[in-house]
Amino acid sequence: SNQQKSKIEFFSKVEKMVMNLLQFFNFYFFIFLKNSELLSFTYGSLIVRLIKDFEKIEEINEQLDKM
């Protein structure tokens, strides 16, 4: 019947929309994780450099505050 055909078309469109949304979020979640890893490594190497350059924790914190 026409009504049944309309329901099938509707749910088919909804399914496509949901799949597109999932792909969209999957992509951005992946990008977010990669950026988080990069930030962690960069920040970690910065802290190691500050620890090597300054002896006192107060000096390290002062440098971090300046940034």
Side-chain angles (χ1 to χ4, degrees):
S1 75
N2 249 358
Q3 190 178 14
Q4 190 175 12
K5 192 174 184 180
S6 293
K7 283 183 180 180
I8 291 172
E9 288 174 1
F10 172 77
F11 285 113
S12 177
K13 289 178 182 179
V14 169
E15 181 183 22
K16 287 179 185 176
M17 286 174 42
V18 169
M19 292 304 290
N20 286 337
L21 278 173
L22 287 173
Q23 288 176 348
F24 174 81
F25 286 120
N26 189 28
F27 173 75
Y28 279 98
F29 186 68
F30 175 78
I31 296 297
F32 174 76
L33 285 178
K34 291 297 170 189
N35 286 340
S36 297
E37 289 174 10
L38 179 63
L39 177 65
S40 296
F41 288 130
T42 305
Y43 186 73
S45 61
L46 172 69
I47 298 300
V48 169
R49 182 79 248 163
L50 288 173
I51 290 171
K52 288 180 180 178
D53 290 346
F54 298 95
E55 294 180 10
K56 296 181 181 177
I57 292 178
E58 293 81 16
E59 293 174 332
I60 295 170
N61 286 335
E62 185 179 317
Q63 292 300 316
L64 288 171
D65 287 340
K66 287 180 182 179
M67 295 177 196

